[in-house]
């Protein structure tokens, strides 16, 4: 049995088999009700369901089905129901399956037969397709803001530590030196793409499905332009069968969040490594770490670990919906009801992870001594040594080999790379001269990396300024 996340849901309260009247002679089985209901989770669509119904009622006035007085009565009834749900005082009934029936039946109970006119020329199939789009429109706006907030935290953290050097890693082996700010700005770029993907999803989703009915519209012709205006859609779906069975927008949403999750998981992994004593570049605040029930010394990065772990459910939700939809015959099939739990779970997961990361970064500290010690490892500048030879005319492949031999020599002699004497270097290549010492100046080495996108401090400063301005604007 599901755990209901709204206190006012009554299991099998009354036998109000609204949809079965006429066609069925037996009541639905208790097991069937529990199996098919979606009210335990789709109650979250109530505001959007009502928003859709308010617009639909206007279209019914235009189609001559409702009078303006009747519409006003419906509007008043729906808004009263909405207020009651807002206050968590509304008793949802599992026997009524879903949010659409719960609201409609209650409306009819409150305002009588006028309420029974509302569902004219509409099906729950186009209703739910609309509700989910309206819901996701808001959810995406919120997620995009949360992504921008995390970007702001990354940029501000990077600004506060703009002169910290750390080793950059490939294969988790020390590779070349970078600025910590450059490393963090990589995540800012990633989050910008996440926002872009959410925005693309919003753009493609911006089509009104209402008016498609159950599968083929209705003999009562609704003014869909009016509906689109009322509900602020830029476009109208052009095929009623596609409109009621399409959940591409939900797949795109889940896919955008799966990729976002992958990004947060990578950031998590960096944080987990950095707070370990082995790396020791970062310290998280007490507020954002957890203790061990056994080992008194522990301060664990559980937020990052859980986020890395929760990426599994973000991927799972995407796969679950893709699998649900694959092989569905045209048009609506009940399988599609499975879309909502996946969507809500991914939304909840991402929208909890983003703000806690923001908070955790704001309160984190860099262990400057540890970062400096790691970044000063001269082995990080082995490629720079090869570049030195290239600038003196040696083809890069040969320079690579020469430096490889020098690195081996350093290991054999157990000395740091910059401690090999000029004499020893010249035995391997006569191109080395006294100025080779300068290669091992860390700050100069990073400052020389001037190509667009490379970590020279001037570039990083420029990019920080770019992001500060870009993120100042509302998103
Ligand atoms: N609760 C249903 C869903 O989410 C609404 C549509 C039901 N349509 C139907 N023909 N039973 O998909």
């Amino acid at each position: 049995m599901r755990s209901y996340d709204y206190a006012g849901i009554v299991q099998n309260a009354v036998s109000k088999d609204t949809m079965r009247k006429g066609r069925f002679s037996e009541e639905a089985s208790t097991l069937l009700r529990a199996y098919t209901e979606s009210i335990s989770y789709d109650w979250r669509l109530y505001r959007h369901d009502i928003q859709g119904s308010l617009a639909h009622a206007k279209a019914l006035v235009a189609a001559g089905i409702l009078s303006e007085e009747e519409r006003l009565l419906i509007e008043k009834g729906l808004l009263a129901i909405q207020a009651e749900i807002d206050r968590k005082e509304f008793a949802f009934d599992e026997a009524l399956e879903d949010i659409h029936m719960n609201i409609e039946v209650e409306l009819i109970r409150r305002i009588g037969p006028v309420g029974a006119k509302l569902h004219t020329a509409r099906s729950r199939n186009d209703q739910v397709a609309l509700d989910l789009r309206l819901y996701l429109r808001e959810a995406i706006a919120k997620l995009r803001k949360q992504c921008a907030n995390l970007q702001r935290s990354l940029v501000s953290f990077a600004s506060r530590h703009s002169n910290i050097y750390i080793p950059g890693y490939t294969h988790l082996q020390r590779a070349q030196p970078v600025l910590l700010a450059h490393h963090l700005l990589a995540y800012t770029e990633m989050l910008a793409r996440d926002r872009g993907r959410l925005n693309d999803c919003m753009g493609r989703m911006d089509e009104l499905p209402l008016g498609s009915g159950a599968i083929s519209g209705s003999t009562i012709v609704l003014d869909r332009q009016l509906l689109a205006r009322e509900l602020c859609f830029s476009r109208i779906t052009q095929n009623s069968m596609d409109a009621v069975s399409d959940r591409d927008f939900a797949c795109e949403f889940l896919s955008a969040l799966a990729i976002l999750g992958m990004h947060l998981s990578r950031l998590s992994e960096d944080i987990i490594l950095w707070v370990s004593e082995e790396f020791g570049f970062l310290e998280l605040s007490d507020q954002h770490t957890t203790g061990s029930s056994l080992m008194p010394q522990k301060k664990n990065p559980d937020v990052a670990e859980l986020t890395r772990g929760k990426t599994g459910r973000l991927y799972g939700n995407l796969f679950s919906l893709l699998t649900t939809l694959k092989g569905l015959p045209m048009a609506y099939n009940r399988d599609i009801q499975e879309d909502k739990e996946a969507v809500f779970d991914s939304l909840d997961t991402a929208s909890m992870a983003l703000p806690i990361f923001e908070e955790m970064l704001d309160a984190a500290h860099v262990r400057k001594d540890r970062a400096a010690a790691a970044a000063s490892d001269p082995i990080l500048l082995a490629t720079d040594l090869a570049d030195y030879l290239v600038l003196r005319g040696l083809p890069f492949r040969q320079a690579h080999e020469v430096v490889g031999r020098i690195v081996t020599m350093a290991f054999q002699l157990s000395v740091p790379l910059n401690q090999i004497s000029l004499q020893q270097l010249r035995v391997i290549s006569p191109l080395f001269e006294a100025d080779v010492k300068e290669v091992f100046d860390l700050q100069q080495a990073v400052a020389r990396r001037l190509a667009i996108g490379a970590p020279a401090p001037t570039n990083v400063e420029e990019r920080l300024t770019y992001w500060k301005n870009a993120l100042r604007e509302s998103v």
Side-chain angles (χ1 to χ4, degrees):
M1 181 53 62
R2 296 176 204 292
S3 61
Y4 296 120
D5 53 357
Y6 181 97
I9 291 171
V10 190
Q11 279 176 39
N12 290 307
V14 255
S15 92
K16 286 189 263 181
D17 277 353
T18 315
M19 292 162 292
R20 303 167 69 90
K21 278 186 202 149
R23 178 76 176 86
F24 297 81
S25 50
E26 282 181 326
E27 275 193 8
S29 104
T30 307
L31 283 179
L32 176 130
R33 280 187 190 154
Y35 197 62
T36 57
E37 67 82 22
S38 55
I39 188 63
S40 53
Y41 49 89
D42 71 9
W43 68 269
R44 288 168 61 152
L45 299 174
Y46 74 96
R47 274 193 297 111
H48 308 90
D49 194 72
I50 288 173
Q51 189 187 354
S53 289
L54 294 176
H56 186 67
K58 288 189 183 165
L60 290 179
V61 172
I65 302 294
L66 288 179
S67 69
E68 181 56 15
E69 294 70 50
E70 287 175 324
R71 188 194 70 77
L72 283 169
L73 205 61
I74 288 175
E75 184 175 88
K76 210 170 139 223
L78 286 172
L79 292 177
I81 293 172
Q82 176 167 308
E84 212 166 286
I85 306 176
D86 282 341
R87 294 195 304 271
K88 305 245 186 242
E89 284 167 6
F90 189 89
F92 290 112
D93 184 352
E94 188 190 66
L96 294 171
E97 270 188 29
D98 56 26
I99 186 62
H100 325 294
M101 290 310 299
N102 266 271
I103 292 176
E104 191 189 331
V105 168
E106 181 59 18
L107 181 72
I108 298 168
R109 195 189 66 75
R110 289 184 187 200
I111 68 170
V114 174
K117 293 185 176 183
L118 177 63
H119 210 51
T120 313
R122 184 176 70 170
S123 154
R124 283 184 296 160
N125 297 356
D126 57 349
Q127 194 174 356
V128 72
L130 170 72
D131 293 3
L132 198 56
R133 279 175 157 89
L134 292 175
Y135 186 89
L136 282 182
R137 197 154 77 180
E138 270 180 34
I140 288 176
K142 174 178 163 187
L143 282 167
R144 293 185 65 224
K145 282 207 177 83
Q146 290 182 320
C147 286
N149 288 341
L150 181 54
Q151 285 182 299
R152 284 188 196 99
S153 283
L154 285 161
V155 168
S156 119
F157 193 91
S159 288
R160 277 182 276 129
H161 302 95
S162 59
N163 58 354
I164 304 282
Y165 295 82
I166 54 167
Y169 295 79
T170 63
H171 314 271
L172 205 55
Q173 305 284 319
R174 285 186 181 173
Q176 293 178 342
V178 292
L179 281 172
L180 172 68
H182 190 63
H183 189 132
L184 293 174
L185 286 180
Y187 288 104
T188 313
E189 304 283 343
M190 287 148 83
L191 284 160
R193 294 195 294 274
D194 292 321
R195 274 171 43 207
R197 262 180 290 273
L198 286 167
N199 207 30
D200 292 348
C201 169
M202 178 113 101
R204 243 181 317 278
M205 199 172 69
D206 185 13
E207 276 185 354
L208 170 90
L210 196 61
S212 305
I215 177 166
S216 62
S218 167
T219 54
I220 293 157
V221 178
L222 298 180
D223 180 352
R224 298 189 72 204
Q225 307 277 8
L226 178 154
L227 284 169
R229 273 196 309 278
E230 280 295 317
L231 294 165
C232 301
F233 281 97
S234 330
R235 302 181 306 277
I236 297 172
T237 57
Q238 296 296 313
N239 183 304
S240 61
M241 296 174 83
D242 177 38
V244 290
S245 58
D246 164 39
R247 291 295 183 275
D248 290 4
F249 62 95
C251 293
E252 284 189 40
F253 176 74
L254 293 176
S255 154
L257 291 193
I259 297 174
L260 166 68
M262 177 266 285
H263 291 162
L264 292 182
S265 181
R266 290 186 60 192
L267 177 57
S268 297
E269 180 63 15
D270 277 343
I271 291 174
I272 293 162
L273 288 172
W274 287 357
V275 299
S276 74
E277 201 46 43
E278 282 67 19
F279 279 74
F281 301 162
L282 194 72
E283 199 179 339
L284 296 175
S285 80
D286 284 1
Q287 272 191 299
H288 302 100
T289 42
T290 51
S292 155
S293 59
L294 178 76
M295 297 166 282
Q297 83 280 17
K298 293 297 279 294
K299 245 172 119 177
N300 294 329
D302 288 27
V303 169
E305 290 172 272
L306 276 169
T307 307
R308 189 177 56 185
K310 283 175 190 291
T311 307
R313 53 203 292 167
L314 294 175
Y315 291 5
N317 288 332
L318 169 63
F319 248 77
S320 142
L321 185 59
L322 285 172
T323 312
T324 295
L325 296 174
K326 121 183 217 309
L328 288 188
M330 272 290 172
Y332 179 85
N333 296 269
R334 191 65 179 271
D335 318 41
I336 298 177
Q337 177 169 294
E338 292 287 311
D339 59 357
K340 281 170 284 296
E341 281 176 294
V343 161
F344 294 152
D345 185 67
S346 284
L347 169 62
D348 293 346
T349 303
S351 64
M352 279 179 82
L354 288 164
I356 195 159
F357 263 69
E358 192 191 323
E359 204 184 86
M360 184 166 70
L361 274 177
D362 288 347
H365 289 285
V366 171
R367 293 174 69 183
K368 295 186 178 156
D369 51 334
R370 293 294 302 270
S376 64
D377 181 353
I379 201 84
L380 292 168
L381 298 170
T383 321
D384 299 47
L385 198 56
D387 289 349
Y388 172 94
L389 295 173
V390 166
L391 291 172
R392 276 148 194 80
L394 197 63
F396 180 75
R397 273 288 150 246
Q398 288 174 35
H400 185 277
E401 189 194 327
V402 166
V403 175
R405 296 221 301 273
I406 297 169
V407 169
T408 308
M409 178 192 277
F411 280 127
Q412 279 165 356
L413 299 172
S414 291
V415 292
L417 191 61
N418 58 348
Q419 299 300 308
I420 309 267
S421 70
L422 180 58
Q423 243 176 346
Q424 287 167 309
L425 288 176
R426 286 179 69 92
V427 172
I428 298 179
S429 169
L431 291 172
F432 286 116
E433 293 183 35
D435 63 353
V436 69
K437 286 262 164 259
E438 288 163 25
V439 166
F440 293 104
D441 181 318
L442 170 70
Q443 299 198 1
Q444 272 187 39
V446 180
R448 277 195 285 265
R449 293 170 148 79
L450 272 165
I452 296 173
T458 45
N459 283 355
V460 174
E461 271 315 318
E462 244 176 63
R463 202 61 189 158
L464 279 171
T465 309
Y466 165 84
W467 280 119
K468 280 179 198 160
N469 290 330
L471 293 165
R472 199 165 289 142
E473 290 154 26
S474 63
V475 283

